Amino acid sequence: MNNSFLRISIWVYLAIFFLYLLGPLVIMSITAFNSSGFPRMSPWECLTFQWFGELFQDQRILNGIKNSLIIGIGTVILSVAMGLAGALLLTQIWPKLRATYYTIIIAPILIPGVVLGISTLVFWDRINRMLGLGADSFLSNGIFLTVIGQSTFIASYCMLVLVARLQRYDMALTEAALDLGASHAQAFRKILLPFMRPAIASAAVLAFLASFENYNTTTFTFGEYPTLTIELAQKVRYGITPAISALAFIIVALTVFFALMNEAKLKRQELVAAARKNATVEELASKIKLPSFFAGNMAAVLLVVFAVATITVVGTAATYNPAQCIADIREQKQLEAEQRIQELRKQREERRKQQEAQEAEQGGGQTAPKPSNNSGFGNVFAPNSLGGDENEGEDGASETETAPTSNSGFGGVFDPNSLQSDE
């Protein structure tokens, strides 16, 4: 009972983990086939491939991909070379200095990418000024600065990969080659380099992927050569379309394809190595045939399924026309919008009628209020409050109509005669 519960718990945990890890990628990949103008999976409208066409017509995205490839290749060459040199030096340096050297060579990984980008830009700008070069010189070129800035920390990743492989190398092979008359360059090229080739390939792939997706360092150094990540960040800032989802789907598909290809190749090498030990040439040939090869290689089966699915999608995209479906969706949206407008008009009319009925109920049985001079301040500001007490005659005219008055309403304080002395 406990074993069954533990097994179920592990499977549930793995399902939640992979759902959390791969769920956003799956959702974004699905949005690339929805005809909605904004990347979304629900509500689903029509199956379309138009976003892939718009992706390949976007010059900014294509220019970003080109710059990313150029910078990635340069970063791979520089980072792998520095990483291999660092790994060789780490295995041959004095043991008491090995820990210090390892700390120094790993330090760029711990430094934030923003700091590396700013420091790279400032350093090479000072060098450029010291040499008296202009702003358009090679040292101020965005590709050069980006390659240098990214290589400062990617080389450390490459060194870690190469050190792991180099620790299994037998230095006696190099010593034997030197004893037999080979030079150091020949020993390196014919003995050490073939042994390090798998690790070099892995480090190159790691360096290229790290360069391709880097943003923190690149944002300070790209200059006039924005990479794909820079272009995507700018598009997300000012509004995105499902064309970005199409790009994400292509990247995910290529990653899965090459991962399955590599896994199938490794599995084939294992099968061949096992067959060489315990089988003859005829049995070895039978092991490598397709039925037996697919039977023991799940990655190869998935690779074939993936290839068939890709061919099916491409063939469907070439013949499928979603114009009618999109037209129906637009018509349905228009009808829904008109229906919504009518509902809003009805609600507004009902509220107006209710308001009129309430005003009629409140106004019934009440007479119009008479105008009053009472301003609410005790008649202080009434028109007649500023004049003195005057009696009107029978004809309605004032008895003192022509007589000037000095009463200003403030107790005669401001009477002009009050300023004169008593005579």
Side-chain angles (χ1 to χ4, degrees):
M1 181 65 181
N2 293 333
N3 293 334
S4 300
F5 178 76
L6 181 61
R7 189 179 299 108
I8 294 174
S9 301
I10 292 175
W11 281 107
V12 170
Y13 170 77
L14 291 176
I16 296 174
F17 173 76
F18 284 107
L19 181 64
Y20 168 78
L21 188 65
L22 303 177
L25 297 178
V26 174
I27 292 175
M28 175 166 274
S29 299
I30 294 176
T31 59
F33 299 94
N34 193 359
S35 62
S36 173
F38 184 82
R40 62 182 182 182
M41 188 176 66
S42 177
W44 181 264
E45 294 183 358
C46 296
L47 176 65
T48 182
F49 299 93
Q50 66 174 350
W51 305 118
F52 293 89
E54 293 189 6
L55 172 65
F56 293 111
Q57 294 176 358
D58 193 332
Q59 295 300 322
R60 292 182 58 183
I61 291 294
L62 297 179
N63 184 61
I65 294 175
K66 183 186 71 174
N67 294 334
S68 295
L69 293 175
I70 295 173
I71 292 172
I73 293 173
T75 303
V76 166
I77 296 174
L78 190 59
S79 298
V80 172
M82 292 192 299
L84 182 58
L88 292 174
L89 184 59
L90 183 63
T91 57
Q92 298 178 6
I93 200 172
W94 193 28
K96 292 184 178 180
L97 296 177
R98 190 169 297 170
T100 304
Y101 173 77
Y102 181 81
T103 303
I104 295 174
I105 206 69
I106 292 298
I109 298 178
L110 308 177
I111 299 176
V114 175
V115 176
L116 292 176
I118 296 175
S119 60
T120 301
L121 183 63
V122 172
F123 176 79
W124 288 102
D125 180 68
R126 293 293 183 268
I127 296 296
N128 190 39
R129 292 184 181 183
M130 289 174 57
L131 297 177
L133 301 177
D136 56 347
S137 65
F138 178 75
L139 298 180
S140 299
N141 186 272
I143 293 179
F144 171 77
L145 292 176
T146 305
V147 170
I148 294 296
Q150 292 181 357
S151 299
T152 53
F153 68 95
I154 295 179
S156 300
Y157 291 116
C158 296
M159 190 204 71
L160 294 177
V161 175
L162 296 171
V163 164
R165 176 71 174 178
L166 195 58
Q167 289 177 348
R168 294 183 292 174
Y169 178 69
D170 188 3
M171 296 298 298
L173 297 176
T174 302
E175 294 176 357
L178 295 175
D179 292 339
L180 294 175
S183 62
H184 288 277
Q186 291 175 338
F188 173 79
R189 188 177 67 254
K190 295 184 178 181
I191 298 177
L192 181 60
L193 198 59
F195 178 80
M196 296 294 297
R197 190 173 298 160
I200 291 175
S202 300
V205 173
L206 177 63
F208 180 81
L209 295 178
S211 172
F212 196 84
E213 59 85 24
N214 181 262
Y215 176 79
N216 295 335
T217 302
T218 308
T219 189
F220 295 96
T221 59
F222 69 89
E224 299 179 355
Y225 300 93
T227 61
L228 179 61
T229 54
I230 300 297
E231 293 291 356
L232 291 179
Q234 293 177 356
K235 282 185 172 294
V236 170
R237 185 179 303 170
Y238 297 110
I240 61 176
T241 63
I244 296 180
S245 300
L247 177 62
F249 175 78
I250 293 175
I251 294 175
V252 171
L254 291 176
T255 303
V256 172
F257 176 77
F258 286 112
L260 291 176
M261 180 180 292
N262 182 66
E263 185 65 23
K265 180 181 177 181
L266 294 177
K267 187 64 177 178
R268 181 179 181 278
Q269 292 176 353
E270 293 179 0
L271 292 175
V272 170
R276 284 177 177 176
K277 293 181 180 179
N278 305 319
T280 61
V281 178
E282 291 78 7
E283 294 177 353
L284 177 61
S286 62
K287 289 286 185 181
I288 302 177
K289 288 182 179 180
L290 290 181
S292 301
F293 176 68
F294 285 129
N297 195 344
M298 182 58 64
V301 176
L302 294 177
L303 184 61
V304 173
V305 173
F306 182 84
V308 172
T310 302
I311 295 173
T312 303
V313 170
V314 172
T316 304
T319 57
Y320 176 69
N321 187 9
Q324 184 61 39
C325 178
I326 294 176
D328 295 341
I329 291 294
R330 289 178 179 176
E331 184 178 359
Q332 182 180 358
K333 287 183 177 180
Q334 186 176 1
L335 294 176
E336 291 177 356
E338 293 177 355
Q339 183 179 2
R340 180 60 178 169
I341 291 173
Q342 293 178 0
E343 291 178 356
L344 291 176
R345 288 178 178 175
K346 290 181 180 180
Q347 293 176 2
R348 187 180 302 172
E349 185 68 19
E350 291 177 357
R351 285 197 299 266
R352 187 180 64 80
K353 291 181 179 179
Q354 292 177 359
Q355 185 176 1
E356 291 179 353
Q358 291 177 359
E359 291 178 354
E361 292 177 358
Q362 293 177 359
Q366 296 182 0
T367 59
K370 295 181 178 181
S372 174
N373 292 329
N374 188 0
S375 61
F377 294 93
N379 291 330
V380 174
F381 300 103
N384 296 328
S385 65
L386 299 179
D389 295 337
E390 298 176 350
N391 296 323
E392 296 180 353
E394 294 178 356
D395 55 353
S398 174
E399 294 179 355
T400 59
E401 182 177 0
T402 60
T405 179
S406 61
N407 188 3
S408 62
F410 294 91
V413 175
F414 299 103
D415 187 1
N417 298 326
S418 65
L419 301 177
Q420 301 177 358
S421 60
D422 297 331
E423 296 178 355

